Amino acid sequence: SQQGEEDPQALSIQEGENATMNCSYKTSINNLQWYRQNSGRGLVHLILIRSNEREKHSGRLRVTLDTSKKSSSLLITASRAADTASYFCAPNTGGFKTIFGAGTRLFVKA
Amino acid sequence: DTEVTQTPKHLVMGMTNKKSLKCEQHMGHRAMYWYKQKAKKPPELMFVYSYEKLSINESVPSRFSPECPNSSLLNLHLHALQPEDSALYLCASSTPRLAGELTDTQYFGPGTRLTVL
């Protein structure tokens, strides 16, 4: 596996707005996963997108993958204060070794 | 049961102490992981066990000693730690690989907050 690089590093928005986070990676992947971490707690798996998929939805989450640009984005629509967390992407090349990127810290103001 | 449990939640230990962290899952996952996470940093992989065998050791100091006694349990034995080892220690497990599909979706426990004095 390899490290993803997220941007922005931090994002502050109002409740109800959309939040977009981006992830770039370096080599070919089997899939890419997004995780959320609330402060000081374990990570929660949000969504997995396979290399042959371009877009995937799960509730208020929308993930896109552009393998030609080696990038992915996570869109959270109609954000809520409870979405305040750190978000990590995890590009996966098929091995056990997951290297998380630095993450995007999202703060949603009520 | 889709939960990974970790005990204790908090641990304070001196540099001469010996302690252990415990992780348990009953999802039938055959890969289990230890991560270390410092504040405002991403989790860093320490060890991976696959089918109860150590698969990955990320050059972790020997004062950290992992153990996988069975497919549901993962321990991390701690001895002679340093203050810089204070961190959140996360355990995770992942699904067996399905034929033709490698997912490695990981399920994380809530972590053990370790403070070394």
Side-chain angles (χ1 to χ4, degrees):
Chain A
S1 291
Q2 59 174 307
Q3 181 177 15
E5 294 181 9
E6 288 99 335
D7 88 276
Q9 290 186 344
L11 181 60
S12 181
I13 59 174
Q14 292 290 140
E15 209 167 27
E17 294 179 342
N18 296 341
T20 299
M21 288 158 263
N22 303 297
C23 170
S24 59
Y25 56 92
K26 292 188 171 62
T27 64
S28 297
I29 58 172
N30 288 328
N31 63 69
L32 185 142
Q33 303 180 50
W34 285 90
Y35 290 82
R36 182 188 75 225
Q37 183 179 33
N38 292 89
S39 180
R41 298 182 62 82
L43 279 73
V44 174
H45 180 258
L46 295 176
I47 197 164
L48 178 152
I49 186 164
R50 295 179 180 81
S51 59
N52 61 354
E53 297 175 313
R54 293 294 166 260
E55 187 171 312
K56 201 159 182 181
H57 296 255
S58 177
R60 294 184 296 112
L61 305 181
R62 173 178 168 250
V63 168
T64 62
L65 180 64
D66 187 333
T67 52
S68 67
K69 294 182 180 177
K70 294 186 170 59
S71 68
S72 174
S73 68
L74 171 66
L75 168 68
I76 304 174
T77 59
S79 62
R80 304 167 182 167
D83 295 326
T84 295
S86 292
Y87 292 82
F88 298 95
C89 73
N92 187 290
T93 57
F96 287 120
K97 188 172 175 178
T98 297
I99 303 177
F100 293 91
T104 293
R105 286 161 52 205
L106 174 66
F107 182 64
V108 181
K109 293 176 280 189
Chain B
D1 185 357
T2 58
E3 193 178 17
V4 176
T5 59
Q6 289 187 245
T7 54
K9 289 185 179 178
H10 301 275
L11 178 62
V12 179
M13 60 186 290
M15 288 190 283
T16 58
N17 291 159
K18 282 186 181 181
K19 296 286 184 184
S20 296
L21 309 184
K22 181 179 172 182
C23 173
E24 194 165 1
Q25 58 88 14
H26 295 286
M27 294 178 277
H29 293 173
R30 299 313 294 271
M32 296 186 76
Y33 310 71
W34 279 116
Y35 289 88
K36 173 183 176 180
Q37 186 178 28
K38 302 284 271 184
K40 298 184 180 179
K41 297 289 186 184
E44 295 177 7
L45 184 65
M46 299 175 72
F47 304 103
V48 180
Y49 274 83
S50 175
Y51 290 88
E52 295 95 73
K53 287 188 171 50
L54 186 63
S55 177
I56 294 177
N57 177 342
E58 288 290 281
S59 301
V60 179
S62 60
R63 56 186 185 268
F64 295 92
S65 176
E67 179 195 19
C68 190
N70 60 57
S71 60
S72 300
L73 280 175
L74 185 67
N75 298 320
L76 186 63
H77 303 298
L78 314 173
H79 175 54
L81 295 192
Q82 303 297 311
E84 60 264 29
D85 297 321
S86 298
L88 181 67
Y89 287 83
L90 294 164
C91 172
S93 66
S94 68
T95 54
R97 294 178 179 182
L98 303 174
E101 179 169 319
L102 302 173
T103 62
D104 296 318
T105 296
Q106 294 179 42
Y107 294 79
F108 282 80
T112 293
R113 175 73 60 189
L114 174 67
T115 302
V116 181
L117 301 176

PDB file of all heavy atoms in Angstrom, chain B residues 11-19 63 78-83 85-86 114-117:
ATOM      1  N   LEU B  11      -4.125   4.000  30.026  1.00  0.00           N
ATOM      2  CA  LEU B  11      -3.076   3.330  30.780  1.00  0.00           C
ATOM      3  C   LEU B  11      -1.970   4.338  31.065  1.00  0.00           C
ATOM      4  O   LEU B  11      -1.497   5.013  30.141  1.00  0.00           O
ATOM      5  CB  LEU B  11      -2.514   2.142  29.994  1.00  0.00           C
ATOM      6  CG  LEU B  11      -1.375   1.362  30.630  1.00  0.00           C
ATOM      7  CD1 LEU B  11      -1.830   0.722  31.943  1.00  0.00           C
ATOM      8  CD2 LEU B  11      -0.863   0.291  29.683  1.00  0.00           C
ATOM      9  N   VAL B  12      -1.591   4.424  32.336  1.00  0.00           N
ATOM     10  CA  VAL B  12      -0.455   5.246  32.723  1.00  0.00           C
ATOM     11  C   VAL B  12       0.583   4.301  33.312  1.00  0.00           C
ATOM     12  O   VAL B  12       0.271   3.481  34.176  1.00  0.00           O
ATOM     13  CB  VAL B  12      -0.855   6.301  33.781  1.00  0.00           C
ATOM     14  CG1 VAL B  12       0.362   7.126  34.185  1.00  0.00           C
ATOM     15  CG2 VAL B  12      -1.954   7.207  33.237  1.00  0.00           C
ATOM     16  N   MET B  13       1.786   4.385  32.822  1.00  0.00           N
ATOM     17  CA  MET B  13       2.825   3.483  33.296  1.00  0.00           C
ATOM     18  C   MET B  13       4.169   4.190  33.410  1.00  0.00           C
ATOM     19  O   MET B  13       4.431   5.165  32.692  1.00  0.00           O
ATOM     20  CB  MET B  13       2.943   2.254  32.403  1.00  0.00           C
ATOM     21  CG  MET B  13       3.294   2.526  30.973  1.00  0.00           C
ATOM     22  SD  MET B  13       3.241   1.046  29.921  1.00  0.00           S
ATOM     23  CE  MET B  13       4.654   0.119  30.532  1.00  0.00           C
ATOM     24  N   GLY B  14       4.975   3.689  34.312  1.00  0.00           N
ATOM     25  CA  GLY B  14       6.319   4.194  34.455  1.00  0.00           C
ATOM     26  C   GLY B  14       7.248   3.502  33.482  1.00  0.00           C
ATOM     27  O   GLY B  14       6.895   2.495  32.863  1.00  0.00           O
ATOM     28  N   MET B  15       8.421   4.042  33.341  1.00  0.00           N
ATOM     29  CA  MET B  15       9.373   3.524  32.352  1.00  0.00           C
ATOM     30  C   MET B  15       9.894   2.138  32.712  1.00  0.00           C
ATOM     31  O   MET B  15      10.403   1.422  31.853  1.00  0.00           O
ATOM     32  CB  MET B  15      10.534   4.509  32.182  1.00  0.00           C
ATOM     33  CG  MET B  15      10.124   5.775  31.448  1.00  0.00           C
ATOM     34  SD  MET B  15      11.521   6.799  31.002  1.00  0.00           S
ATOM     35  CE  MET B  15      11.886   7.554  32.561  1.00  0.00           C
ATOM     36  N   THR B  16       9.729   1.726  33.969  1.00  0.00           N
ATOM     37  CA  THR B  16      10.223   0.403  34.342  1.00  0.00           C
ATOM     38  C   THR B  16       9.114  -0.648  34.384  1.00  0.00           C
ATOM     39  O   THR B  16       9.365  -1.816  34.637  1.00  0.00           O
ATOM     40  CB  THR B  16      10.909   0.456  35.718  1.00  0.00           C
ATOM     41  OG1 THR B  16       9.956   0.939  36.670  1.00  0.00           O
ATOM     42  CG2 THR B  16      12.122   1.378  35.671  1.00  0.00           C
ATOM     43  N   ASN B  17       7.890  -0.204  34.140  1.00  0.00           N
ATOM     44  CA  ASN B  17       6.758  -1.137  34.236  1.00  0.00           C
ATOM     45  C   ASN B  17       6.677  -2.084  33.049  1.00  0.00           C
ATOM     46  O   ASN B  17       7.212  -1.815  31.973  1.00  0.00           O
ATOM     47  CB  ASN B  17       5.437  -0.356  34.306  1.00  0.00           C
ATOM     48  CG  ASN B  17       5.267   0.415  35.602  1.00  0.00           C
ATOM     49  OD1 ASN B  17       4.490   1.352  35.661  1.00  0.00           O
ATOM     50  ND2 ASN B  17       5.987   0.032  36.631  1.00  0.00           N
ATOM     51  N   LYS B  18       5.950  -3.173  33.290  1.00  0.00           N
ATOM     52  CA  LYS B  18       5.547  -4.065  32.193  1.00  0.00           C
ATOM     53  C   LYS B  18       4.026  -4.092  32.178  1.00  0.00           C
ATOM     54  O   LYS B  18       3.402  -4.360  33.199  1.00  0.00           O
ATOM     55  CB  LYS B  18       6.038  -5.494  32.446  1.00  0.00           C
ATOM     56  CG  LYS B  18       7.487  -5.751  32.172  1.00  0.00           C
ATOM     57  CD  LYS B  18       7.784  -7.235  32.327  1.00  0.00           C
ATOM     58  CE  LYS B  18       9.246  -7.543  32.082  1.00  0.00           C
ATOM     59  NZ  LYS B  18       9.545  -8.980  32.210  1.00  0.00           N
ATOM     60  N   LYS B  19       3.463  -3.821  31.031  1.00  0.00           N
ATOM     61  CA  LYS B  19       2.012  -3.837  30.880  1.00  0.00           C
ATOM     62  C   LYS B  19       1.658  -4.457  29.543  1.00  0.00           C
ATOM     63  O   LYS B  19       2.526  -4.622  28.671  1.00  0.00           O
ATOM     64  CB  LYS B  19       1.448  -2.419  30.948  1.00  0.00           C
ATOM     65  CG  LYS B  19       1.647  -1.707  32.276  1.00  0.00           C
ATOM     66  CD  LYS B  19       0.727  -2.241  33.339  1.00  0.00           C
ATOM     67  CE  LYS B  19       0.880  -1.441  34.636  1.00  0.00           C
ATOM     68  NZ  LYS B  19       0.044  -2.007  35.732  1.00  0.00           N
ATOM     69  N   ARG B  63      11.005  -3.019  22.703  1.00  0.00           N
ATOM     70  CA  ARG B  63      10.243  -2.804  23.932  1.00  0.00           C
ATOM     71  C   ARG B  63       8.729  -2.975  23.684  1.00  0.00           C
ATOM     72  O   ARG B  63       7.943  -3.026  24.622  1.00  0.00           O
ATOM     73  CB  ARG B  63      10.540  -1.418  24.520  1.00  0.00           C
ATOM     74  CG  ARG B  63      10.290  -0.253  23.594  1.00  0.00           C
ATOM     75  CD  ARG B  63      10.763   1.046  24.248  1.00  0.00           C
ATOM     76  NE  ARG B  63      10.459   2.225  23.466  1.00  0.00           N
ATOM     77  CZ  ARG B  63      11.283   2.753  22.579  1.00  0.00           C
ATOM     78  NH1 ARG B  63      12.473   2.185  22.366  1.00  0.00           N
ATOM     79  NH2 ARG B  63      10.933   3.844  21.913  1.00  0.00           N
ATOM     80  N   LEU B  78       4.235  -4.412  26.642  1.00  0.00           N
ATOM     81  CA  LEU B  78       5.027  -3.194  26.753  1.00  0.00           C
ATOM     82  C   LEU B  78       6.028  -3.324  27.890  1.00  0.00           C
ATOM     83  O   LEU B  78       5.668  -3.757  28.995  1.00  0.00           O
ATOM     84  CB  LEU B  78       4.106  -2.003  27.034  1.00  0.00           C
ATOM     85  CG  LEU B  78       2.842  -1.899  26.182  1.00  0.00           C
ATOM     86  CD1 LEU B  78       1.953  -0.774  26.709  1.00  0.00           C
ATOM     87  CD2 LEU B  78       3.189  -1.686  24.723  1.00  0.00           C
ATOM     88  N   HIS B  79       7.248  -2.964  27.635  1.00  0.00           N
ATOM     89  CA  HIS B  79       8.280  -3.071  28.677  1.00  0.00           C
ATOM     90  C   HIS B  79       9.340  -2.003  28.450  1.00  0.00           C
ATOM     91  O   HIS B  79       9.834  -1.836  27.347  1.00  0.00           O
ATOM     92  CB  HIS B  79       8.907  -4.458  28.641  1.00  0.00           C
ATOM     93  CG  HIS B  79      10.062  -4.606  29.589  1.00  0.00           C
ATOM     94  ND1 HIS B  79       9.964  -4.309  30.938  1.00  0.00           N
ATOM     95  CD2 HIS B  79      11.345  -5.006  29.388  1.00  0.00           C
ATOM     96  CE1 HIS B  79      11.131  -4.538  31.518  1.00  0.00           C
ATOM     97  NE2 HIS B  79      11.988  -4.947  30.602  1.00  0.00           N
ATOM     98  N   ALA B  80       9.671  -1.317  29.545  1.00  0.00           N
ATOM     99  CA  ALA B  80      10.726  -0.299  29.502  1.00  0.00           C
ATOM    100  C   ALA B  80      10.452   0.756  28.441  1.00  0.00           C
ATOM    101  O   ALA B  80      11.330   1.092  27.627  1.00  0.00           O
ATOM    102  CB  ALA B  80      12.099  -0.956  29.276  1.00  0.00           C
ATOM    103  N   LEU B  81       9.234   1.264  28.433  1.00  0.00           N
ATOM    104  CA  LEU B  81       8.877   2.284  27.448  1.00  0.00           C
ATOM    105  C   LEU B  81       9.482   3.639  27.805  1.00  0.00           C
ATOM    106  O   LEU B  81       9.897   3.880  28.944  1.00  0.00           O
ATOM    107  CB  LEU B  81       7.356   2.401  27.341  1.00  0.00           C
ATOM    108  CG  LEU B  81       6.614   1.190  26.795  1.00  0.00           C
ATOM    109  CD1 LEU B  81       5.171   1.565  26.472  1.00  0.00           C
ATOM    110  CD2 LEU B  81       7.292   0.617  25.562  1.00  0.00           C
ATOM    111  N   GLN B  82       9.489   4.509  26.821  1.00  0.00           N
ATOM    112  CA  GLN B  82       9.993   5.860  26.970  1.00  0.00           C
ATOM    113  C   GLN B  82       8.825   6.844  26.922  1.00  0.00           C
ATOM    114  O   GLN B  82       7.774   6.528  26.349  1.00  0.00           O
ATOM    115  CB  GLN B  82      10.971   6.177  25.828  1.00  0.00           C
ATOM    116  CG  GLN B  82      12.135   5.209  25.721  1.00  0.00           C
ATOM    117  CD  GLN B  82      13.014   5.263  26.964  1.00  0.00           C
ATOM    118  OE1 GLN B  82      13.406   6.350  27.398  1.00  0.00           O
ATOM    119  NE2 GLN B  82      13.304   4.107  27.537  1.00  0.00           N
ATOM    120  N   PRO B  83       8.997   8.031  27.488  1.00  0.00           N
ATOM    121  CA  PRO B  83       7.904   9.019  27.436  1.00  0.00           C
ATOM    122  C   PRO B  83       7.425   9.299  26.011  1.00  0.00           C
ATOM    123  O   PRO B  83       6.234   9.543  25.802  1.00  0.00           O
ATOM    124  CB  PRO B  83       8.532  10.263  28.083  1.00  0.00           C
ATOM    125  CG  PRO B  83       9.543   9.711  29.031  1.00  0.00           C
ATOM    126  CD  PRO B  83      10.104   8.492  28.346  1.00  0.00           C
ATOM    127  N   ASP B  85       6.868   7.298  23.814  1.00  0.00           N
ATOM    128  CA  ASP B  85       5.953   6.237  23.380  1.00  0.00           C
ATOM    129  C   ASP B  85       4.507   6.536  23.765  1.00  0.00           C
ATOM    130  O   ASP B  85       3.597   5.782  23.394  1.00  0.00           O
ATOM    131  CB  ASP B  85       6.365   4.888  23.988  1.00  0.00           C
ATOM    132  CG  ASP B  85       7.731   4.427  23.518  1.00  0.00           C
ATOM    133  OD1 ASP B  85       8.041   4.629  22.316  1.00  0.00           O
ATOM    134  OD2 ASP B  85       8.494   3.885  24.340  1.00  0.00           O
ATOM    135  N   SER B  86       4.312   7.603  24.518  1.00  0.00           N
ATOM    136  CA  SER B  86       2.945   8.014  24.860  1.00  0.00           C
ATOM    137  C   SER B  86       2.190   8.319  23.584  1.00  0.00           C
ATOM    138  O   SER B  86       2.652   9.100  22.741  1.00  0.00           O
ATOM    139  CB  SER B  86       2.981   9.254  25.763  1.00  0.00           C
ATOM    140  OG  SER B  86       3.644   8.964  26.983  1.00  0.00           O
ATOM    141  N   LEU B 114      -2.214   5.702  25.976  1.00  0.00           N
ATOM    142  CA  LEU B 114      -1.081   5.324  26.831  1.00  0.00           C
ATOM    143  C   LEU B 114      -0.266   6.551  27.194  1.00  0.00           C
ATOM    144  O   LEU B 114       0.102   7.347  26.310  1.00  0.00           O
ATOM    145  CB  LEU B 114      -0.187   4.325  26.104  1.00  0.00           C
ATOM    146  CG  LEU B 114       1.110   3.953  26.813  1.00  0.00           C
ATOM    147  CD1 LEU B 114       0.815   3.164  28.087  1.00  0.00           C
ATOM    148  CD2 LEU B 114       2.019   3.144  25.900  1.00  0.00           C
ATOM    149  N   THR B 115       0.018   6.678  28.471  1.00  0.00           N
ATOM    150  CA  THR B 115       0.902   7.740  28.957  1.00  0.00           C
ATOM    151  C   THR B 115       2.053   7.091  29.701  1.00  0.00           C
ATOM    152  O   THR B 115       1.834   6.286  30.607  1.00  0.00           O
ATOM    153  CB  THR B 115       0.157   8.701  29.899  1.00  0.00           C
ATOM    154  OG1 THR B 115      -0.965   9.260  29.216  1.00  0.00           O
ATOM    155  CG2 THR B 115       1.078   9.828  30.361  1.00  0.00           C
ATOM    156  N   VAL B 116       3.257   7.417  29.277  1.00  0.00           N
ATOM    157  CA  VAL B 116       4.457   6.876  29.918  1.00  0.00           C
ATOM    158  C   VAL B 116       5.124   8.001  30.702  1.00  0.00           C
ATOM    159  O   VAL B 116       5.478   9.041  30.140  1.00  0.00           O
ATOM    160  CB  VAL B 116       5.440   6.305  28.882  1.00  0.00           C
ATOM    161  CG1 VAL B 116       6.662   5.716  29.582  1.00  0.00           C
ATOM    162  CG2 VAL B 116       4.755   5.250  28.025  1.00  0.00           C
ATOM    163  N   LEU B 117       5.265   7.794  32.000  1.00  0.00           N
ATOM    164  CA  LEU B 117       5.837   8.838  32.861  1.00  0.00           C
ATOM    165  C   LEU B 117       7.330   8.641  33.051  1.00  0.00           C
ATOM    166  O   LEU B 117       7.846   7.520  32.997  1.00  0.00           O
ATOM    167  CB  LEU B 117       5.125   8.834  34.211  1.00  0.00           C
ATOM    168  CG  LEU B 117       3.606   9.072  34.157  1.00  0.00           C
ATOM    169  CD1 LEU B 117       3.017   8.938  35.535  1.00  0.00           C
ATOM    170  CD2 LEU B 117       3.301  10.443  33.557  1.00  0.00           C
TER     171      LEU B 117
END
